[in-house]
Amino acid sequence: MSNSSSYTEFLLLAFADTWELQLLHFSLFLGVYLAALLGNGLIITAVACDHHLHTPMYFFLLNLSFLDLGSISITVPKSMANSLRDTRAISYSECAVQVFLFLFLLGGEYCLLTVMAYDRFVAICKPLHYGTIMGSRACVQMAAAAWGSGFLNALLHTANTFSIPLCQGNTVDQFFCEIPQILKLSCSDSYLREVGLIAVTACLDFGCFVFIVLSYVQIFSAVLRIPSEQGRHKAFSMCLPHLAVVSLFVSTSFFAYLKPPSLSSPALDLLVAVLYAVVPPAVNPLIYSMRNKELKDALRKVISWTFFSSGKIAFAPHK
């Protein structure tokens, strides 16, 4: 019987067998990765530099952008590098670190989305108390709790998963190290401990999901009572981007980790992984900036300043 400690590396899923298709995979992932870097980088710069955006909503959005940048940087660059080098290997320690960091950032993002739902609830349903409830100290504490919850969740799952003996080889049917795929390599019944931990985490995540749903039920009830059409439009503009991000995140990640084995197939698992691990970090900045005038104005300032500064450097007279 082989044990996980006897393996020095895992073999990840290859997107293609030919060099041309591997190059296509590299190009597509590079485009998505650059889009995520650009979009989240612009939001981070805009929120940090524009004092009009120094509010709780944009503070949490700043944290979300950092989490998105981190999560996509954990998985995509390694997959691109493997395609260029025509290899599938990832070392055992690299795999463990990848699992830990990805779960840390993924868990932190879900907790942060829950906090952002609470922020929208207070802003719309209790506007007179917003400044008191969502003070700067409270916002920092809630953001720290989100990051800390993600860290604890990742530590428990990673330690538990990599203590399970593996008897089914070292080939992971995914483009990055993912717990459900690693569990498929475990010895019979030895994976039940991690499955139980996933079930407990799923219950806690479901509690957060119920909290988000109830928050939005009250938010939409309050919005529909706003007499002016302009006020309703502004309220919806604040809430709909967050609701879209939550829907995409929850639907894809829950399906990836909780789908029954009968629905599992290499093609479906790969598609779902791309949808919850690669797509959200790239499209979240677009979703949040699409209906937000303040953020769009701040982004225009950042882009204009960037081009103006580069132009000044390029055309500066030589002394």
Side-chain angles (χ1 to χ4, degrees), residues 40-54:
N40 288 289
L42 284 173
I43 285 183
I44 291 169
T45 305
V47 174
C49 296
D50 194 328
H51 69 277
H52 294 104
L53 302 184
H54 292 177

Side-chain angles (χ1 to χ4, degrees), residues 15 25 37 66 100 109 122 129 134 137 192 229 239 280:
F15 273 83
H25 155 242
L37 289 180
F66 276 118
F100 172 77
E109 182 163 341
V122 175
H129 302 283
M134 302 301 294
R137 184 175 180 180
L192 293 178
E229 184 177 346
C239 296

Side-chain angles (χ1 to χ4, degrees), residues 2 4 7 10-11 13 161-162 164-174 176-192 194-195 198 255-270 272-273:
S2 298
S4 56
Y7 294 118
F10 288 97
L11 299 178
L13 180 68
T161 299
F162 285 90
I164 296 173
L166 306 180
C167 307
Q168 308 296 327
N170 64 337
T171 302
V172 179
D173 289 331
Q174 192 54 271
F176 67 98
C177 286
E178 185 185 46
I179 284 182
Q181 301 300 329
I182 296 175
L183 292 182
K184 291 181 180 180
L185 307 178
S186 63
C187 303
S188 59
D189 298 333
S190 61
Y191 66 91
L192 293 178
E194 174 60 20
V195 171
I198 289 177
F255 185 76
Y257 282 86
L258 299 179
K259 67 179 183 299
S262 58
L263 291 179
S264 183
S265 69
L268 181 61
D269 292 344
L270 178 61
V272 172

Side-chain angles (χ1 to χ4, degrees), residues 196-215:
L197 187 56
I198 289 177
V200 172
T201 303
C203 291
L204 296 175
D205 290 344
F206 183 72
C208 292
F209 177 71
V210 170
F211 177 84
I212 293 172
V213 171
L214 292 177
S215 297

Side-chain angles (χ1 to χ4, degrees), residues 231-279:
R232 289 195 299 271
H233 177 75
K234 183 177 179 180
F236 278 126
S237 296
M238 291 168 59
C239 296
L240 289 180
H242 176 257
L243 193 58
V245 170
V246 169
S247 300
L248 177 63
F249 181 87
V250 169
S251 60
T252 54
S253 57
F254 272 36
F255 185 76
Y257 282 86
L258 299 179
K259 67 179 183 299
S262 58
L263 291 179
S264 183
S265 69
L268 181 61
D269 292 344
L270 178 61
L271 176 62
V272 172
V274 170
L275 286 177
Y276 87 87
V278 179
V279 173

Side-chain angles (χ1 to χ4, degrees), residues 60 110-120 134 142-143 146:
F60 294 133
Y110 187 56
C111 292
L112 189 66
L113 289 172
T114 306
V115 170
M116 293 172 78
Y118 177 69
D119 172 65
R120 296 300 86 215
M134 302 301 294
M142 284 188 276

